[in-house]
């Protein structure tokens, strides 16, 4: 995998995970269940963890929610789920963390929005109370500024200061600068209260791609804190996926960002795991991390026998997905496995040679045979009704020969 040196100079420990420094970019997600509903919340956390979430944020907004945290953690422990839980606090976090010490103790990190902890002197008091509780329990804090809840007193001062300039900026540019200033100023205040530099993660959430890129470029240039990336209110389905991918890919490719979340609005009643999958695919596509074997397949055109190769590509991807849990235990490193399923002679052989193992199916009018390439070399040609079964067997053989020797596990479940 290609390595990019990210800008965070500090490494923050969140439970058994690390954010920043030389640590891999961490994938986060968040529940949307009422935290008071212990069963639903624990079940969703387990589902997100099983899909690959490496930290999960939960809402802690009421006394009942804070009181439920120990029971949620206990249930997860009994289920074998080991994932850091992040408490999301707004408005009353200083009260809840003070009144429910077990909640404060068991959460792996606190998320504080400086714009939602009060105003004036009360803002300073409430913010300080939360920082002091984080110090008491040795917890890191994400200081998360959001343009939908930016400290209005700070923004008003920024607008006034801008109006005095000889060449004032437009209001939108002032807003962007105010977001950056708020995050950095809050981090400095937290450090003045005793919170160590390596216990701080910053985020500055906006919902437009160019603005997010501008905000995080500014943060990265002006601090060494670990940075959490993500569009806020990214949206639903394709819009949310494309917008988040566009923003995160630019920043990650520039070496900016240490932990990410794709905040997708799910369809009613649907699973939350899609946002985890999208995060993983962004990182894998950029060559920053590997999570699962990948299939390269052409889109098809008038040259291809579309039904045949589309069905085979889908079958191979489904097979790789089904084997991933077993392969990751038995074959360390298999997540970097690349398979090509191509549809005709134009790009088929070339793409197949670039993959670890690839098959080039015959296009319309071509000889009804499918050459197979392993590590760039033609090793056999398949044809006939057993083609898919034979190709899957070649995949199994390749995985065993390349990664099997790295594992000494004798009790793993069979892979087929």
């Amino acid at each position: 995998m290609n390595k990019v040196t990210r800008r965070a100079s500090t490494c923050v420990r969140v439970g058994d995970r690390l954010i920043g420094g030389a640590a891999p970019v961490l994938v986060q997600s968040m529940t949307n269940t009422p935290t008071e509903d212990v069963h639903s919340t624990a079940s969703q956390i387990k589902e997100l963890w099983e899909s690959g979430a490496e930290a999960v944020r939960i809402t802690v907004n009421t006394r009942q929610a804070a009181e439920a945290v120990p029971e949620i953690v206990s249930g997860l422990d009994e289920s074998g789920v080991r994932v850091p839980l992040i408490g999301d606090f707004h408005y009353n976090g200083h009260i809840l963390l003070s009144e429910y010490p077990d909640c404060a103790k068991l959460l792996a990190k606190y998320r504080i929005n400086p714009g939602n902890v009060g105003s004036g002197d009360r803002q300073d008091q409430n913010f300080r109370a939360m920082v002091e509780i984080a110090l008491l329990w040795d917890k890191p804090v994400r200081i998360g500024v959001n343009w939908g809840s930016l400290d209005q007193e700070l923004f008003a001062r920024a607008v006034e200061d801008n109006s005095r300039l000889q060449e004032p900026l437009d209001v939108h540019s002032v807003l962007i600068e105010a977001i950056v200033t708020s995050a950095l100023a809050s981090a400095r205040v937290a450090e003045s209260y005793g919170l160590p530099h390596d216990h701080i993660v910053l985020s500055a959430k906006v919902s437009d791609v160019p603005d997010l890129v501008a905000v995080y470029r500014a943060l990265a240039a002006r601090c060494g804190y670990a940075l959490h990336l993500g569009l806020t209110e990214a949206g639903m389905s394709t819009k949310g996926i494309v917008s988040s991918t566009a923003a995160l890919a630019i920043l990650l490719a520039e070496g900016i960002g240490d932990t990410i979340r794709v905040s997708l609005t799910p369809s009613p009643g649907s699973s939350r795991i899609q946002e985890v999958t999208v995060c993983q695919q962004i990182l894998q596509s950029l060559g920053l991390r590997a999570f699962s074997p990948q299939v390269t397949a052409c889109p098809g055109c008038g040259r291809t026998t579309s039904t045949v190769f589309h069905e085979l590509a889908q079958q191979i991807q489904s097979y790789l997905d089904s084997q991933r849990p077993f392969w990751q235990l038995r074959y360390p490193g298999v997540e970097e496995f690349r398979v090509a399923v191509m549809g005709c002679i134009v790009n088929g052989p070339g793409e197949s040679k670039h993959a670890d193992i690839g098959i080039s199916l015959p296009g319309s009018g071509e000889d009804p045979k499918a050459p197979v390439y392993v590590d760039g070399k033609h090793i056999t040609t398949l044809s006939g009704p057993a083609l898919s079964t034979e190709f899957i067997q070649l995949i199994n053989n390749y995985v065993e020969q390349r990664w099997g020797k790295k594992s000494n596990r004798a009790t793993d479940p069979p892979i087929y």
Side-chain angles (χ1 to χ4, degrees):
M1 307 294 289
N2 298 324
K3 293 184 178 179
V4 174
T5 301
R6 294 183 301 284
R7 298 178 187 274
S9 59
T10 55
C11 194
V12 181
R13 180 169 292 278
V14 180
D16 62 350
R17 300 286 183 170
L18 296 175
I19 297 175
V25 179
L26 193 80
V27 173
Q28 293 193 31
S29 187
M30 185 176 183
T31 59
N32 63 354
T33 56
T35 306
E36 299 91 337
D37 185 340
V38 172
H39 175 73
S40 295
T41 302
S43 296
Q44 192 172 80
I45 293 168
K46 183 174 186 289
E47 181 184 44
L48 290 168
W49 173 72
E50 289 175 339
S51 72
E54 296 164 311
V56 176
R57 185 153 50 108
I58 61 174
T59 299
V60 186
N61 58 335
T62 65
R63 287 179 167 85
Q64 293 78 11
E67 192 173 22
V69 169
E71 190 175 350
I72 292 169
V73 172
S74 176
L76 293 173
D77 285 343
E78 291 176 4
S79 300
V81 176
R82 302 287 185 267
V83 64
L85 295 186
I86 301 164
D88 189 63
F89 294 97
H90 296 273
Y91 309 110
N92 59 357
H94 57 293
I95 297 172
L96 300 178
L97 287 170
S98 299
E99 291 186 0
Y100 296 90
D102 285 345
C103 168
K105 178 182 178 181
L106 291 170
L107 291 170
K109 185 174 74 169
Y110 311 152
R111 191 271 190 171
I112 305 174
N113 184 336
N116 288 338
V117 294
S119 58
D121 292 341
R122 192 157 52 87
Q123 182 183 45
D124 292 337
Q125 294 168 7
N126 295 347
F127 185 71
R128 182 167 192 159
M130 297 181 75
V131 169
E132 289 177 345
I133 293 169
L135 281 168
L136 175 65
W137 296 110
D138 191 26
K139 303 295 182 182
V141 171
R142 169 155 77 94
I143 296 173
V145 178
N146 190 303
W147 73 348
S149 51
L150 181 64
D151 182 341
Q152 291 304 300
E153 293 180 13
L154 182 149
F155 182 51
R157 288 196 301 271
V159 171
E160 185 176 347
D161 291 343
N162 180 68
S163 67
R164 298 194 186 101
L165 297 176
Q166 195 168 24
E167 296 183 9
L169 302 173
D170 62 86
V171 175
H172 187 74
S173 297
V174 175
L175 173 63
I176 297 301
E177 175 58 25
I179 292 169
V180 175
T181 300
S182 176
L184 294 174
S186 297
R188 287 193 293 270
V189 170
E191 288 199 63
S192 75
Y193 295 152
L195 193 66
H197 192 85
D198 65 358
H199 279 49
I200 297 173
V201 179
L202 292 187
S203 69
K205 297 290 194 73
V206 297
S207 56
D208 290 338
V209 172
D211 290 336
L212 192 82
V213 172
V215 164
Y216 277 95
R217 281 175 174 166
L219 280 175
R222 289 156 63 175
C223 76
Y225 296 110
L227 300 179
H228 171 80
L229 305 186
L231 280 176
T232 187
E233 289 87 41
M236 299 180 67
S237 188
T238 303
K239 187 269 180 186
I241 293 172
V242 173
S243 296
S244 293
T245 301
L248 269 57
I250 292 171
L251 293 167
L252 290 167
E254 294 179 2
I256 299 172
D258 304 283
T259 176
I260 63 173
R261 181 189 173 206
V262 171
S263 302
L264 297 178
T265 304
S267 301
S270 66
S271 170
R272 299 278 279 185
I273 66 173
Q274 186 181 34
E275 65 179 44
V276 177
T277 304
V278 173
C279 283
Q280 291 178 330
Q281 195 60 55
I282 291 172
L283 293 173
Q284 187 148 351
S285 296
L286 290 171
L288 295 175
R289 295 187 64 182
F291 295 94
S292 61
Q294 302 279 294
V295 173
T296 298
C298 64
C301 67
R303 295 185 178 90
T304 59
T305 51
S306 298
T307 302
V308 176
F309 98 86
H310 284 173
E311 289 175 353
L312 182 62
Q314 181 60 54
Q315 184 178 357
I316 298 305
Q317 185 64 69
S318 297
Y319 181 74
L320 296 181
D321 291 342
S322 70
Q323 296 307 303
R324 184 176 70 164
F326 307 123
W327 282 359
Q328 287 179 328
L329 290 174
R330 186 188 290 262
Y331 304 116
V334 74
E335 61 273 7
E336 297 191 24
F337 185 33
R338 295 173 304 143
V339 180
V341 179
M342 302 301 294
C344 79
I345 198 171
V346 173
N347 290 316
E351 287 285 358
S352 296
K353 290 175 183 177
H354 287 301
D356 294 316
I357 181 170
I359 186 169
S360 179
L361 295 173
S364 301
E366 295 177 20
D367 190 10
K369 295 178 180 178
V372 177
Y373 299 83
V374 172
D375 293 331
K377 298 179 181 178
H378 177 229
I379 56 121
T380 190
T381 299
L382 303 179
S383 62
L387 181 147
S388 61
T389 302
E390 292 173 358
F391 186 57
I392 286 175
Q393 186 58 54
L394 290 171
I395 288 173
N396 290 331
N397 293 343
Y398 184 91
V399 169
E400 174 62 36
Q401 290 169 12
R402 179 168 174 181
W403 288 287
K405 61 184 178 182
K406 297 182 180 180
S407 175
N408 293 319
R409 297 175 182 270
T411 58
D412 292 341
I415 61 170
Y416 52 88

